[in-house]
Amino acid sequence: MSSTLNFSQVLLLVLPLCLLSTVLASSRINDRKSPNEVSLYSESDNVKMLDSESLRKALEMDGDKSKLVQFLNTFCGDCQRFAPIFKGLARDLYKWNSILRIYGVDCAQERNVDVCREFDIRQTPTLRYFALDSYKHNHSLGLDIPSQDPQVITTTLADFISRNEQPNFAPLKKDDNAETLFKRHIALGSPVQFIALVFQPKDSLIGRDTLLELLPYKELEVRIVEDPAVFANFGLKDTSLKLAIIDHEGKAKSLTSAEDTSKAYAAVLGEYLQSLNYQPEPPLPIVEASNMTEFLDQQNQAIITEVLKPPRRVYRADLEQAIDKLLHIELPKPPFLEGNNLTALKNIITVVSYLNPLNKDGQQLLKNLRGSLSKAKTMTGVQLAETVESLEKPLKKIFKARRYVGCIASRPFLRGFTCSLWTLFHFLTVEAAKPPYYFKPGSVLLTIHGFAKYFFGCSDCSRHFQEMAKRRRLASVKSHDEEILWLWEAHNEVNQRVASDSTEDPKFPKLQFPSEEDCPTCRSSNNSSEWQREEVLKYLKTIYDRGNLSFYGLPTAQGYN
């Protein structure tokens, strides 16, 4: 079947897009906080995505279970690369479901800014463990797991849980016996019919790990024996025993294993239970992710088809999206703003207020915000968010873009915000090079550096940019033209680094730009890898010029302000 769209088909796709743009343009602040976005995870991965309200509720109400929460930014390349690893880990940990819940919170969503600020999330992905009732009793911030290695994460979780959690992890006391152990289960109406005893020598974790392996058997409780004499309390005289099982009538049976490992012990106990027709809770079923609706697929395809038409264009919608998310998500995230990060904030707002491409109300918003921040010596992220909201409320529609256009992705989570940031940064360097020259050469680059260092939610991207800034001597830029070219070279370096990465969009590969097609004179006629810098500069000043911005996906230029 041909994938070519005829005129009537294109019209059917573009008209709904225009109507959707118009409807979304009228949305106010609360509409940006809609929970209906695509997520990196789903409950079929054993990861439940929560927002500010539902996370706090889960931490308070789910008091009988440990919690592992991943704080992430969907646009962050490091988060995207970690996603398949975390999915595999979470699915493996489904066997701990009776004592552990796994959640995710997307800090890239405006409705989650306050909780990510509350928990002081400074880099993503952040894995944080919450012990039983810890948040409910003292709003504990939990314990971080500074690793992306599944084995390290699992081991660390096991250590946290066994030290802070369920009483089953405590070794049996000298006077414990079958009657005292089963008495508790009878009182609670527990389904436990068997108790396994596992000898755990000093400096060993075999009992703990066997307990965790056997959590899917709800009829079995595993208890740790550190004193061999305790076996006698269950009618087992052999003090060299390592493994035994007791039924609810108090009958004890010793078991043997070919190896002294938790996996081997769990296998022996599992086989014994299954011989009596007791089965473990089934593993998490594999559920294929549902595709996007045909309408959205067609809508995206219509935009992608338009964007891929030569020559390359810069879209005003992407610049709006970048500024919108800066003001409402990225900049208000820090709990406190003072000293260097407050100075960086003021620089960002000042530069954007003078050079932005927004309508009159948008320019007024940024001007008023610049004035509100000018004398501030300290403030909180909450105060910044409230200031932006109060200044925005009396103004008319400012951010009319509700989707990316030039930064659209052919697959979920790719491009988007990071693409729009690069677009905005290039636009700012070009605008700064025009009279009346509001800023000294290099000021925009230093402002971008301040944003990357103190505010950018992608910690991996931030680190790379700061390293590149030092290596490429960002602070030594002496002219506006040099500033434009510095950012262009830096962007191409990033493109080269992430080319063929899992975060690369197949429809928009990470090439060295501008392409030969977009700018035939930008490369040497004798060597296509050799740049003609003067021609590149001309191209950048043209493509990122305010007068060259495309209104595709937005109201027309005549009715925009």
Side-chain angles (χ1 to χ4, degrees), residues 15-33:
L15 283 177
L17 175 61
C18 295
L19 290 173
L20 181 64
S21 176
T22 303
V23 171
L24 291 178
S26 65
S27 301
R28 297 299 294 174
I29 293 169
N30 288 337
D31 296 321
R32 284 195 300 266
K33 301 183 180 181

Side-chain angles (χ1 to χ4, degrees), residues 91-119:
R91 290 185 65 87
D92 287 343
L93 291 180
Y94 184 70
K95 62 187 175 186
W96 295 8
N97 195 48
S98 61
I99 63 171
L100 177 71
R101 289 287 185 266
I102 302 178
Y103 300 124
V105 177
D106 185 2
C107 295
Q109 300 302 324
E110 185 177 349
R111 70 182 190 280
N112 297 331
V113 170
D114 56 346
V115 78
C116 294
R117 184 194 303 119
E118 175 186 334
F119 290 114

Side-chain angles (χ1 to χ4, degrees), residues 2-188:
S2 173
S3 60
T4 304
L5 300 173
N6 61 37
F7 178 78
S8 61
Q9 288 175 311
V10 171
L11 192 60
L12 287 172
L13 298 178
V14 174
L15 283 177
L17 175 61
C18 295
L19 290 173
L20 181 64
S21 176
T22 303
V23 171
L24 291 178
S26 65
S27 301
R28 297 299 294 174
I29 293 169
N30 288 337
D31 296 321
R32 284 195 300 266
K33 301 183 180 181
S34 168
N36 299 319
E37 77 282 337
V38 183
S39 173
L40 281 173
Y41 303 100
S42 70
E43 292 194 52
S44 65
D45 302 316
N46 192 31
V47 182
K48 186 173 183 179
M49 294 301 297
L50 303 178
D51 58 20
S52 292
E53 182 179 353
S54 56
L55 174 65
R56 295 187 184 100
K57 188 178 295 184
L59 294 178
E60 289 181 356
M61 302 298 291
D62 225 355
D64 62 337
K65 294 178 175 62
S66 304
K67 276 77 63 174
L68 175 65
V69 182
Q70 183 189 160
F71 294 90
L72 60 127
N73 281 295
T74 49
F75 62 76
C76 173
D78 210 21
C79 294
Q80 294 172 23
R81 286 184 284 271
F82 181 54
I85 298 172
F86 192 68
K87 286 180 182 182
L89 169 70
R91 290 185 65 87
D92 287 343
L93 291 180
Y94 184 70
K95 62 187 175 186
W96 295 8
N97 195 48
S98 61
I99 63 171
L100 177 71
R101 289 287 185 266
I102 302 178
Y103 300 124
V105 177
D106 185 2
C107 295
Q109 300 302 324
E110 185 177 349
R111 70 182 190 280
N112 297 331
V113 170
D114 56 346
V115 78
C116 294
R117 184 194 303 119
E118 175 186 334
F119 290 114
D120 197 17
I121 304 303
R122 303 194 179 192
Q123 61 180 19
T124 55
T126 288
L127 294 180
R128 189 160 291 175
Y129 164 81
F130 294 87
L132 299 183
D133 286 336
S134 61
Y135 184 79
K136 180 177 180 179
H137 291 153
N138 58 16
H139 281 209
S140 165
L141 296 185
L143 300 169
D144 283 351
I145 302 177
S147 175
Q148 293 184 16
D149 184 321
Q151 185 173 351
V152 173
I153 296 169
T154 302
T155 301
T156 306
L157 276 174
D159 185 50
F160 284 161
I161 292 172
S162 62
R163 284 192 289 111
N164 302 301
E165 305 293 328
Q166 312 285 343
N168 287 8
F169 289 96
L172 290 180
K173 300 175 184 176
K174 290 185 178 181
D175 57 350
D176 277 328
N177 55 50
E179 182 180 355
T180 60
L181 295 183
F182 278 110
K183 185 177 181 180
R184 177 171 65 90
H185 292 296
I186 294 172
L188 295 173

Side-chain angles (χ1 to χ4, degrees), residues 111 226 274 333 339 368 370 407 452:
R111 70 182 190 280
E226 290 185 340
Q274 289 176 43
K333 278 182 181 176
N368 293 344
R370 187 179 80 237
C407 289

Side-chain angles (χ1 to χ4, degrees), residues 401-426:
R402 285 294 176 266
R403 66 181 305 152
Y404 298 103
V405 177
C407 289
I408 192 173
S410 65
R411 297 178 183 175
F413 319 119
L414 304 180
R415 306 184 82 228
F417 181 54
T418 51
C419 167
S420 73
L421 277 181
W422 278 114
T423 306
L424 176 64
F425 295 159
H426 287 297

